[in-house]
Amino acid sequence: MPEYWALKGTLSEREISRLLSACGETRYPARNRAIVLLACDAGLTPKEISWLKRYSVQTDDGLVGDHISLAGKKGKKLVARKIPIARNGRLRRAIIEVLGSFPGTIDDPLIVSERELYGSASDELPGLQVFQEMRPTSIGYIMWKLARRAGIAMDGGRDARRTFIVKVGRQMREAGGTARDVQTLAGHRSLESTQRLLEADWTAQTRVIGTLFDEQPK
């Protein structure tokens, strides 16, 4: 019997690895790896990735903190929230790498589109370097290009975000958490939105029923 429909829109670890490998073949590998992992390992949308500033991931002393802060983020669909960063995880390494790729300030975007020098001798702040955030549409396009390069059929950032939610949902049950915890991490306003993804694992359902009701040989 086939698995539920939602699993068809998720990425396997092998596919994520292929996306990350494809980043190494691009002009901006550090930035692109961060984009992939912010979607796959933090469940952020292209719009949220575009919104991130350095202070969203850094502490006051400039180090990478223990969570991504989306406090102050505006949006009708997803609420502001914070998402833990695994201390020894690949997302943390990718964030450190992208932070080291250009000498920005804490108020600069985390994901930079263009690095240009604005200002002239006649300006109020001559020589001020301004880093421009990447637009959400451009982030979606980057994901699409990486998927093509890696030979993966995926729906841009949507499949990557769905992968995060489904993986966290499975692990949350084992950790004693609830669907409400997953809802908080995903930023869903409605628990129903989260549950549509969490109730999608036919394999897990079959395993549980077998564990509960299979008769043991006497």
Side-chain angles (χ1 to χ4, degrees):
M1 193 168 187
E3 295 177 336
Y4 254 76
W5 62 270
L7 291 183
K8 296 179 181 177
T10 62
L11 301 173
S12 67
E13 273 302 309
R14 179 176 296 181
E15 288 172 326
I16 295 174
S17 295
R18 283 161 59 184
L19 285 174
L20 294 174
S21 295
C23 292
E25 303 171 10
T26 64
R27 187 175 180 182
Y28 303 107
R31 183 197 67 184
N32 293 341
R33 276 192 290 270
I35 288 174
V36 169
L37 292 175
L38 285 167
C40 292
D41 289 9
L44 302 189
T45 66
K47 188 174 182 179
E48 289 175 328
I49 294 172
S50 172
W51 179 88
L52 289 177
K53 301 295 188 290
R54 286 184 165 219
Y55 62 69
S56 303
V57 298
Q58 286 183 303
T59 58
D60 292 340
D61 55 10
L63 300 176
V64 176
D66 60 3
H67 68 277
I68 299 169
S69 174
L70 293 171
K73 180 192 78 69
K74 297 180 180 180
K76 295 181 179 179
K77 294 185 177 180
L78 300 176
V79 300
R81 60 200 187 278
K82 64 180 183 179
I83 303 165
I85 301 174
R87 177 172 293 276
N88 298 311
R90 60 189 178 184
L91 175 57
R92 184 185 184 86
R93 293 193 296 271
I95 290 173
I96 292 173
E97 185 179 16
V98 80
L99 286 171
S101 65
F102 68 97
T105 69
I106 198 165
D107 293 313
D108 281 318
L110 179 64
I111 303 299
V112 173
S113 177
E114 295 181 14
R115 184 174 163 182
E116 298 180 7
L117 187 64
Y118 291 89
S120 64
S122 61
D123 289 330
E124 184 180 354
L125 296 173
L128 175 66
Q129 195 160 18
V130 177
F131 297 97
Q132 188 176 19
E133 72 274 6
M134 179 175 280
R135 293 177 298 179
T137 52
S138 299
I139 290 173
Y141 181 64
I142 288 291
M143 294 285 287
W144 177 78
K145 285 183 65 177
L146 290 171
R148 283 197 65 182
R149 188 184 292 267
I152 298 171
M154 60 178 284
D155 185 7
R158 185 175 299 177
D159 285 355
R161 171 173 159 77
R162 186 183 290 120
T163 298
F164 169 80
I165 295 170
V166 171
K167 286 169 64 176
V168 168
R170 291 172 176 169
Q171 193 65 34
M172 191 66 72
R173 289 193 294 264
E174 297 183 11
T178 69
R180 290 285 184 187
D181 295 302
V182 184
Q183 178 191 3
T184 299
L185 289 173
H188 287 148
R189 295 185 181 275
S190 167
L191 182 59
E192 183 180 355
S193 298
T194 308
Q195 289 175 325
R196 280 201 296 265
L197 297 175
L198 300 187
E199 296 168 356
D201 193 342
W202 173 257
T203 301
Q205 295 168 23
T206 303
R207 187 185 312 119
V208 168
I209 294 298
T211 301
L212 290 173
F213 302 114
D214 271 343
E215 294 185 359
Q216 300 298 318
K218 297 180 181 180

